[in-house]
Every structure is written in C-alpha cells, then in structure tokens.
Amino acid sequence: MPVTLDTLLARRELQLRLIWADDAASERPWAWVHSSDLADPTPFLSPGDALLTTGTQWASDDDIAPWVERLAAAGVPAVGFGTEVIRDGTPDALTEACAAHGIALLEVPYRTPFIAVARAVADLDAEERYARVRWTLETQRAIAVAALRPAGLGAVVAELARRIAAPAAIVREGSEVLGDAPPRAVLDEALALLRAGRRAARTVDDWSLQTVGAATALTGVLAIGPGSLHDDAERAVITSVVALAGLAGVTDRDALAASAAETAARLAALRSAVQAALVASEPSPAVAAEPLDPADPVALVQPLLEHDAATGDDLVSTLSTWLRCDAVAEGAALRLGIHRHTVRARLRRAAELLDRDLDAFPARAEVWAALQAAGRA
C-alpha cells in the first residue's frame, strides 16, 4: 500500500500526534515529504509532497491561511508542524486552515528531527516498491503455471483477474469472450478494434482495452475492468499476459504455444516439469545420466549436475537459492554466506552450461521447473 498519514502514524518511534484529518485526508497518498520555512515553498513541491515546517515564516497568524491555501493548490496532502522551536503547540489558525482545505495536520515533537520523518517515509516507500516487485514476480509465475493448464488462455485470464482484483477478459472475433463479460459498450469497442486491424489501446467506461497479436494479425483484445491499480507492477504483468495471449492466438484456444518449434518444445518441457512438481509426493531422488531425453525437463539441468560433480562449484545450489531470492544476487549471497560477485560468476557459468538467458523471466521459470523436477529446488 502507498505511504499515507495512517502508515506514518503507525511508526510509534516518531511520536507524531494527529491534530486534524478526515477520512479523505488520511487516505491521500504521500509521494514524498519536504521541510521548509519559506513563505511560499510551492515552487519546490510536487503534487503528493507533504511538508514539515516550524512556522518561522509567519510574521503573524494572519499569514497562515494564505500559506495553507497555496499548499492546497499545489496538491500537498499533509502538513507536519514542529513544536517547541518557535511555538510550544500547534497554532489554532493552522488547524483551522488545514481543516478548511482538507489537508491533514500532525504535530512533530521537538525530540523527533524532521530528517527522521523523511527517512521513515523513504523506508515505507522502499518497502512498498519492493513489495510490488515481489508481487510482479509471484504473479508472473502464477500466470505461467496457469498457462500450462488444459484451458490455458482462460486460466491465464482468470488468474490475472484474481491477482489484480479486477475483471479481465480476452475478446475474440465473433463476440467470443474468455473471462469476465465486459459491458456491451466495452465489447463493441473491442470488436471495433479487431475489425480495424491495427495495434491500439483504448479506455471505455473505465475499462482498459489493448489489442493482442501482431499488427498484421490481431487475435483478440485484452480488456481490464475498473479496480486495478494501473501501476508499473500491474503493467508489467499485463504485458506478459498480452505476450502469452499473442502466442495462444496462433494455435488452439486451449493451448499456449508459439509457432516456432523451439518455443513449442520449451513449453512442452515446462508443462511436464510443472505437472511433475505439483503431483509428485516425493522429489525425484536421482537424475539419469544416459541417455538424456530432450523432452525431459530434468535433462535441462543435467549439465549443471555433472559440472558440480566434477568440480564442486555448487552451481545448482547457487542457482536454486538465487531463484528463491527473486533473482537478487545480494539476497542469494547472504543466504549462501558468499560474496555477491561469486554468486554472479557462478550464474554466468550456469547460464553458459544451460544455454539460457537467465535475465529473462521465461528462462528462469523453465530452469526453476527443471530444478523442481530434479528435486534440487
């Protein structure tokens, strides 16, 4: 969730005291927080920036109302007043002005430096960004698994809708809809986009529409209903769904496969690996060295197993730990107790042996499934 007044007040160590806020003011997101005692700080503020002040800029309380009015026009969600610097308490004029303009007001005690408030906002923002990155990775994994189900494309759309907590559908020619049925106006616009035969995006009645498939051969329109956040994390997930739906459009409606033979083979291997991981009661205890079946997902990681047996480099453990840490080398290094440069060097060697680009999510999903099938994940 974004940084708001309530999330900041929950940081008890700051000892902030709420002076005024209604429900709307409490829920307004903070983009950042600044401190200033300028008579007009608005040229240096952006919408969503909260402001901390000690009030030295006010010659009298008559200056407070116009000052708050300027902040409201600039989109400031909250004001924090530092007490015991110029005044022992929060001025009544400031409380009245903030209430009049719907700006939250909190009191910052003398023992809490403004930099501590700014650092808390930065920490909360970083936590939110990291949480959204994790959500993106977990959602992409769930969608990749959904693509392997018998009704692949329908399962993908259903998983997308569940993850973004909003209706979602794929509209195809002939008014065929996979997923949640959109309103008639949305359906008509989606069909019009298909008839136009051009890559395009539209917004209709709070539904977002995006064409699927190549510019010369559209296969459908992805429709996302109201309720989603529309942030970078969701856009990354939706982009991956558009790519999967584009692949599905060139084959049967119940399968996600590309026209290229290599891609089809990889999807088949991934399907086998995921199914094996889901139904097996025990991990596979061993991997046969000879002969290797190209369709067997375990065969993918066989070069790593052989390399580790010969050199003791521990590539498999390093790769598995790195994947569990959301492909973050620093996290894997901390878990393994080695330097992050060592982790990166092992990953480069593993990528060479696997002949895979481990920077790409599909390759990581494929390798993870193979490690699971081999009982090494």
Side-chain angles (χ1 to χ4, degrees):
M1 58 183 297
V3 179
T4 63
L5 177 67
D6 289 340
T7 56
L8 192 61
L9 289 172
R11 293 291 183 104
R12 301 298 184 187
E13 70 276 11
L14 297 176
Q15 297 182 309
L16 303 175
R17 187 168 74 91
L18 179 63
I19 302 299
W20 181 90
D22 59 11
D23 291 342
S26 296
E27 294 171 359
R28 290 176 66 187
W30 293 23
W32 197 244
V33 61
H34 293 279
S35 61
S36 174
D37 285 343
L38 291 175
D40 184 11
T42 57
F44 310 101
L45 299 174
S46 299
D49 290 346
L51 186 67
L52 307 176
T53 188
T54 61
T56 59
Q57 68 273 33
W58 306 322
S60 71
D61 284 1
D62 293 339
D63 296 333
I64 294 177
W67 182 82
V68 173
E69 184 177 2
R70 288 191 290 270
L71 297 186
V76 171
V79 170
F81 184 75
T83 61
E84 302 175 55
V85 178
I86 303 300
R87 300 180 183 234
D88 290 337
T90 301
D92 292 339
L94 181 58
T95 303
E96 294 169 1
C98 286
H101 291 284
I103 295 178
L105 176 63
L106 53 86
E107 193 172 88
V108 185
Y110 182 80
R111 56 188 171 276
T112 300
F114 283 176
I115 188 63
V117 179
R119 185 179 297 115
V121 171
D123 290 345
L124 288 167
D125 182 68
E127 290 172 8
E128 166 64 13
R129 290 176 184 273
Y130 180 68
R132 293 302 286 166
V133 169
R134 287 188 60 89
W135 177 88
T136 299
L137 293 173
E138 291 168 0
T139 300
Q140 287 177 329
R141 287 172 181 164
I143 287 173
V145 172
L148 304 177
R149 295 172 188 160
L153 187 53
V156 165
V157 174
E159 186 66 27
L160 174 64
R162 188 177 73 83
R163 293 280 176 162
I164 67 175
I170 292 284
V171 178
R172 290 177 161 180
E173 291 184 1
S175 299
E176 179 187 5
V177 176
L178 295 179
D180 301 300
R184 187 71 225 182
V186 176
L187 179 61
D188 290 343
E189 182 63 25
L191 294 173
L193 290 175
L194 286 175
R195 288 193 297 270
R198 297 189 303 271
R199 295 288 298 275
R202 296 281 190 279
T203 299
V204 180
D205 294 342
D206 293 328
W207 281 69
S208 299
L209 305 179
Q210 184 172 347
T211 54
V212 173
T216 56
L218 299 182
T219 59
V221 174
L222 176 64
I224 305 296
S228 63
L229 295 177
H230 294 296
D231 62 358
D232 289 341
E234 279 197 2
R235 281 190 285 271
V237 169
I238 290 171
T239 297
S240 65
V241 171
V242 169
L244 285 171
L247 291 174
V250 300
T251 61
D252 183 77
R253 59 171 288 183
D254 294 330
L256 286 178
S259 56
E262 180 183 359
T263 305
R266 290 189 182 184
L267 285 174
L270 183 55
R271 179 191 293 275
S272 300
V274 172
Q275 290 175 340
L278 292 175
V279 303
S281 59
E282 294 290 338
S284 175
V287 177
E290 291 292 343
L292 294 180
D293 180 0
D296 181 4
V298 174
L300 175 62
V301 295
Q302 182 66 22
L304 300 186
L305 298 170
E306 294 175 353
H307 178 87
D308 284 357
T311 65
D313 282 349
D314 223 8
L315 299 185
V316 171
S317 176
T318 302
L319 180 58
S320 177
T321 302
W322 177 70
L323 291 172
R324 285 198 302 271
C325 291
D326 294 325
V328 177
E330 288 79 4
L334 185 62
R335 286 195 182 186
L336 293 168
I338 58 178
H339 198 278
R340 64 181 183 276
H341 294 330
T342 303
V343 171
R344 293 192 177 104
R346 290 179 181 177
L347 292 174
R348 285 194 297 270
R349 181 56 179 152
E352 293 172 359
L353 292 171
L354 296 172
D355 191 24
R356 296 292 187 274
D357 178 10
L358 295 179
D359 290 331
F361 175 77
R364 294 201 298 270
E366 183 184 13
V367 172
W368 178 252
L371 289 170
Q372 286 183 311
R376 304 299 294 271

